Amino acid sequence: MSRKSRLLLAPVVLMGALALVGAPAMAAPSSLLTASSMTALRSSPVMAATITIKNYAYSAAPAVAPGAKITIMNQDTVAHTVTSDTAGAFDVTVPAGGSATITAPATAGSYAFHCNFHSNMHGSLVVQPAEAAAPAPAPAPAPAPAPASAPAPAAGAATASYQANLGAINGSNASGSVMVSVSGDQATVTEKVSGLAETFGGKPYPHVQHIHIGAKGTCPAPSADTSGDGVISTTEGVPAYGAIGATLSTSGDTSPAAGTDLAVAGMGSSFTYQRTFTLNADTAASLKAGTAVVVVHGLDPATLPAAAQKEPSDLVPSLPLAATSPALCGTLVASQMTSMPGGAPGTGVVNAAATTSSTGADVGMIAAGGGLLLAAGATFMLRRKTGAKA
Ligand SMILES: [Cu+2]
């Protein structure tokens, strides 16, 4: 990457860290919400309103008239969307630090909305006819729409395992495999990747990685490149793999809020990742439904078409498009393995191959996965030893 890119990286890491610190401040906007809701009850609907996004939360908007213009200001360092739960009512992507507008629906009602990238972000918009005698009901703080059988598995529930073969996207030529073992609400993710972009300004290239959820559970086809720039951006892939359900960070937060924190990304062209964390209900449900997709981001800019090399990232505009675009993708499918490394890998591998795949490629992947688990176990032991010494 160029020196310019390197200069840009430092503030983003810093902001990422700040965002991380700020993320738990989700409680703060609730008093604001109440105040605004009351305003909405007392006043007639307005023709223009502003919704501010800060710390991964939407501010409340006053009741608006049908067709009102609503400006959305995004104060976060990552992009968000304002997408109506009712398909087609409104949908806009708001770049990091930027703004966008939507037009209120013509039909009065309370419209719940969410962020396509961050499944924990919800809000609602009340559209009220100007002559309405009775005020519309106060906008409820929109409980998350309960995904089918959403509750996280009870503690002590039987272990379930999922595996994904990670395939190259955007010509990354990378490859990898992932296993997710779920026990109760704890998920242990073991991953091995290779062939990714190696350095970023002379330092190991940060590859943010996530479990994306809640969409088709597929990896985007080349036709997903709706902008025609030759690169499937993270946003363009969302209809296939969905929003971020969990961040496969190396430390700290594993929620969607940590999604673009480069400081906790996988580093370099090849790495082994293993971490156990508490699985949120949405991600647990998506895993069960077969719609959870692992995506590893970050391309070598030199491999992009010339014009696309100059484009900003759709997620973090201060970074180049290459930095956040998908490089690896794979759908997590249930396997028959019932225990993690330490057991007899041979048995589990055979079972998994027999039940989840019908192609030679998949069998090869799962067999490789068995090897990877052993390798990961060894690496993990080594790290612990090193850590104890320090
Ligand atoms: Cu992602």
Side-chain angles (χ1 to χ4, degrees):
M1 286 214 176
S2 70
R3 168 160 293 182
K4 194 175 170 193
S5 304
R6 181 185 184 177
L7 289 173
L8 287 170
L9 180 60
V12 170
V13 171
L14 182 62
M15 286 192 291
L18 288 174
L20 201 59
V21 170
M26 296 285 286
S30 66
S31 56
L32 185 68
L33 183 72
T34 308
S36 297
S37 305
M38 288 170 71
T39 308
L41 281 174
R42 288 194 204 109
S43 51
S44 52
V46 296
M47 280 308 298
T50 301
I51 294 172
T52 302
I53 305 176
K54 194 176 179 183
N55 292 335
Y56 296 81
Y58 301 103
S59 70
V64 298
K69 185 178 176 182
I70 298 148
T71 303
I72 297 114
M73 313 278 290
N74 181 2
Q75 297 184 2
D76 283 345
T77 55
V78 300
H80 296 292
T81 76
V82 174
T83 305
S84 59
D85 293 2
T86 313
F90 48 85
D91 180 15
V92 72
T93 300
V94 196
S99 65
T101 59
I102 56 170
T103 302
T107 309
S110 183
Y111 293 82
F113 59 83
H114 62 276
C115 173
N116 272 337
F117 307 141
H118 308 101
S119 57
N120 57 335
M121 289 177 63
H122 297 277
S124 75
L125 178 70
V126 173
V127 179
Q128 199 176 306
E131 296 83 18
S149 61
T159 299
S161 290
Y162 305 87
Q163 289 182 307
N165 183 16
L166 300 179
I169 297 193
N170 288 319
S172 73
N173 286 322
S175 62
S177 55
V178 182
M179 178 176 179
V180 180
S181 180
V182 180
S183 182
D185 66 354
Q186 296 297 298
T188 297
V189 175
T190 307
E191 177 198 35
K192 187 181 174 73
V193 299
S194 60
L196 290 164
E198 187 166 10
T199 56
F200 192 114
K203 292 187 174 163
Y205 193 121
H207 295 280
V208 293
Q209 46 180 1
H210 319 106
I211 299 177
H212 286 249
I213 61 166
K216 293 178 197 159
T218 59
C219 293
S223 61
D225 173 24
T226 50
S227 70
D229 62 359
V231 179
I232 300 166
S233 71
T234 296
T235 311
E236 287 170 335
V238 164
Y241 48 60
I244 297 171
T247 298
L248 301 179
S249 54
T250 54
S251 66
D253 191 9
T254 56
S255 81
T260 56
D261 186 349
L262 302 179
V264 292
M267 298 287 176
S269 66
S270 301
F271 55 85
T272 298
Y273 172 90
Q274 185 172 59
R275 194 165 177 207
T276 299
F277 57 90
T278 302
L279 202 58
N280 61 45
D282 288 346
T283 305
S286 198
L287 270 168
K288 277 188 181 171
T291 57
V293 181
V294 172
V295 182
V296 182
H297 304 253
L299 300 169
D300 178 352
T303 63
L304 270 56
Q309 291 183 20
K310 297 178 187 127
E311 286 181 61
S313 157
D314 50 323
L315 295 188
V316 187
S318 56
L319 290 173
L321 177 67
T324 59
S325 293
L328 280 171
C329 178
T331 303
L332 286 160
V333 293
S335 81
Q336 288 270 305
M337 289 182 73
T338 52
S339 64
M340 277 299 283
T347 311
V349 168
V350 170
N351 286 345
T355 53
T356 64
S357 69
S358 53
T359 70
D362 281 354
V363 173
M365 176 275 288
I366 290 162
L372 121 76
L373 294 178
L374 291 178
T379 308
F380 191 54
M381 298 281 283
L382 200 65
R383 284 217 192 104
R384 287 182 60 175
K385 265 188 188 169
T386 311
K389 216 187 271 181

